[in-house]
Amino acid sequence: MSIKLSQTLITLMILSGIYVNAQNAIAVKPSLTKSIIKLGENKSVQKAIQTIDEIEAETINNMITLTEIPAPPFKETKRAEKFVEMFTNTGIDSVWIDAVGNVLALRKGKKRNKTIVLDAHIDTVFPEETDVTVKKDGKTYTAPGIGDNTRGMAMLIAVLDSMNKASIDTEEDIVFVGTVGEEGLGDLRGVKHLFSDKSDIKVDSWISIDGGGKGRITNGGLGSKRYKAVFKGKGGHSWGAFGLANPHHTIGKAIDYFVQEATKYTNIEGPKTSFNIGRMGGGTSVNSIPFESWMEVDMRSLSPKRLLEIDSIFKKSMKKAASIYNASGIKDKVTLEIVPIGDRPSGSLPETTPLVQRAVAVASYLKIPPVLSTGSTNSNIPIAKNVPAITISRGGKGSGAHSLNETWTNIDGNKNIKMALMITLAEAGIAD
């Protein structure tokens, strides 16, 4: 097929409101498609898009600067303070750090009837002492957390800068948000706060930047339940106290019961559901009966109902193990404590949701093949509350997320900044 013919077909698909790729066919209302084309033809928007290319070196520098400030969950303060400084220097109506540590930067609209959020999380999975020095090799940058998610943070500054330099006024308020606690035991604490009655803002539309796959548009929240199961006993000498209740022996039974029953359940036809025992610990020495044995468990499902059901299987398995072991003739007893350490709700928004439709239309307009998906991101919370929300990609090419050798390569990286800009403007509306 000739290049000219290929481009003609792409144009026809965009105009018809249908984008088709190998994974799905996404129908977009013609009216929304036309509105995105009109948005792209706006001279101020074209200026902003041009600006994104012009400030690329600055955006990369911001990404490097933020990456080299450690930000493990619950210790994001220094990076948050630098983010505040970047927003202030770029130009914003007001910027502050809220009660839980989120950074909020308000760019006021003319009508101010709604609040559109563009979000990127601040935290990483790495301990505070991790070497986060960025290494550069051509267009590839290597450092823990550089893709997940300081690239996203730098994109927020670039979107704001491009709007300011193009003198774009919006109808509705835009709040650029750097959220804390997205990773691991942070358990989405930042975004949960923003959707609580203690929040500084009321969110009408939520757009997160997180994850790879340049055309990925997450409109489904993958829910999870996480627990720390702790079995306790008196502990003692392996010889002198032999026969005393042993928490390690109990946890072995608990794992066996849980894996058997959970495997049966996940093999049943239905929305995908998973389980994983990720960490274990306890004990003081090889010749000591431990006084404590613990494990951390992660369970996920696309279905809220199935998530609750596998959650029930887990709790019943833990209690069954403790009960049967305590009745086995051992001396004394073990006790069980199940401690919640994570709770992310499931949910999904239909592809007919205007925000989802606009995101697909923008991606298609920028010739980024859109793919709707489900994931575990900040969007889980608004999606579960039926607030329009999506998570889009940081773009470029990433690898090794959550590893010490994480990389991000700048291959058309600016395309996704332009995508974030246009989706945000489509939601907020350009003022006359």
Side-chain angles (χ1 to χ4, degrees):
M1 182 182 293
S2 70
I3 294 176
K4 186 175 182 181
L5 178 58
S6 176
Q7 290 175 336
T8 301
L9 287 175
I10 290 172
T11 302
L12 287 172
M13 285 191 290
I14 293 173
L15 290 172
S16 66
I18 299 176
Y19 190 90
V20 182
N21 62 26
Q23 286 138 315
N24 54 17
I26 308 166
V28 179
K29 289 182 179 179
S31 59
L32 284 176
T33 300
K34 289 177 182 177
S35 70
I36 296 303
I37 293 172
K38 182 179 179 181
L39 179 68
E41 292 172 345
N42 180 286
K43 289 184 179 179
S44 294
V45 175
Q46 289 179 352
K47 171 61 177 174
I49 287 173
Q50 179 184 340
T51 299
I52 287 169
D53 290 328
E54 293 171 349
I55 63 173
E56 182 174 49
E58 184 179 345
T59 301
I60 294 292
N61 286 336
N62 287 339
M63 177 182 73
I64 292 171
T65 297
L66 291 165
T67 299
E68 293 183 340
I69 303 172
F74 305 99
K75 294 183 179 181
E76 302 98 337
T77 303
K78 289 183 179 179
R79 185 179 282 181
E81 289 172 347
K82 187 63 179 180
F83 209 27
V84 168
E85 180 184 316
M86 287 180 175
F87 279 118
T88 301
N89 291 341
T90 304
I92 196 74
D93 289 312
S94 60
V95 57
W96 67 100
I97 296 176
D98 70 12
V100 299
N102 295 315
V103 174
L104 294 93
L106 169 65
R107 193 176 193 273
K108 295 178 181 178
K110 295 297 185 181
K111 293 183 177 179
R112 309 202 66 193
N113 294 322
K114 294 182 179 180
T115 298
I116 313 304
V117 166
L118 183 62
D119 155 70
H121 70 82
I122 297 174
D123 58 319
T124 73
V125 300
F126 304 98
E128 197 169 13
E129 65 275 11
T130 304
D131 182 2
V132 289
T133 305
V134 177
K135 301 175 181 63
K136 180 182 178 182
D137 181 9
K139 291 187 176 183
T140 297
Y141 302 83
T142 302
I146 193 156
D148 189 9
N149 194 32
T150 49
R151 175 62 187 176
M153 295 175 69
M155 288 171 68
L156 263 60
I157 299 296
V159 169
L160 172 62
D161 199 13
S162 71
M163 291 175 63
N164 288 349
K165 289 177 176 175
S167 301
I168 293 176
D169 290 323
T170 57
E171 293 182 344
E172 310 300 349
D173 286 353
I174 297 172
V175 179
F176 298 87
V177 176
T179 40
V180 296
E182 192 276 340
E183 300 285 9
L185 296 181
D187 195 34
L188 305 184
R189 67 188 180 92
V191 67
K192 285 180 177 178
H193 176 79
L194 292 172
F195 283 88
S196 73
D197 56 7
K198 298 179 181 179
S199 175
D200 295 344
I201 58 173
K202 180 185 178 299
V203 180
D204 296 287
S205 189
W206 179 277
I207 305 156
S208 280
I209 300 175
D210 195 8
K214 62 182 179 180
R216 182 184 59 82
I217 300 167
T218 299
N219 64 317
L222 175 59
S224 64
K225 295 277 190 180
R226 293 170 178 168
Y227 294 98
K228 183 174 184 177
V230 184
F231 295 87
K232 294 182 179 181
K234 289 183 176 179
H237 195 279
S238 63
W239 174 260
F242 178 67
L244 186 66
N246 188 317
H248 280 3
H249 297 176
T250 318
I251 206 169
K253 285 181 175 291
I255 292 171
D256 185 39
Y257 293 149
F258 173 56
V259 170
Q260 285 190 47
E261 294 303 314
T263 299
K264 290 178 186 176
Y265 182 75
T266 55
N267 285 340
I268 297 172
E269 186 176 349
K272 182 178 177 180
T273 304
S274 69
F275 62 92
N276 181 64
I277 298 168
R279 295 208 313 148
M280 297 180 65
T284 55
S285 71
V286 69
N287 60 334
S288 298
I289 298 171
F291 57 84
E292 180 180 273
S293 184
W294 59 267
M295 63 179 176
E296 291 179 350
V297 180
D298 170 270
M299 296 168 287
R300 303 184 183 215
S301 183
L302 299 172
S303 159
K305 179 175 180 290
R306 281 174 67 83
L307 185 59
L308 290 174
E309 287 172 344
I310 197 167
D311 177 89
S312 177
I313 289 170
F314 167 73
K315 291 174 180 175
K316 287 179 181 178
S317 298
M318 298 302 105
K319 293 174 183 177
K320 176 182 177 182
S323 177
I324 291 177
Y325 183 71
N326 284 336
S328 66
I330 47 87
K331 299 174 187 176
D332 205 68
K333 292 183 178 181
V334 296
T335 60
L336 167 65
E337 183 181 10
I338 298 177
V339 183
I341 58 173
D343 188 357
R344 300 188 179 202
S346 297
S348 63
L349 296 176
E351 65 179 54
T352 54
T353 304
L355 172 58
V356 178
Q357 295 259 300
R358 291 186 180 108
V360 171
V362 167
S364 302
Y365 179 80
L366 294 171
K367 297 182 175 61
I368 301 173
V371 179
L372 298 182
S373 68
T374 297
S376 182
T377 71
N378 271 338
S379 292
N380 278 46
I381 301 304
I383 287 173
K385 293 179 177 290
N386 291 316
V387 174
I390 55 172
T391 297
I392 62 175
S393 168
R394 66 182 73 95
K397 182 180 179 181
S399 68
H402 291 196
S403 77
L404 296 177
N405 296 312
E406 181 177 356
T407 67
W408 183 80
T409 303
N410 190 11
I411 300 175
D412 292 329
N414 282 349
K415 267 195 171 185
N416 284 73
I417 303 178
K418 296 168 186 176
M419 181 174 171
L421 167 72
M422 289 188 67
I423 295 171
T424 302
L425 292 177
E427 285 293 294
I430 293 182
D432 294 331

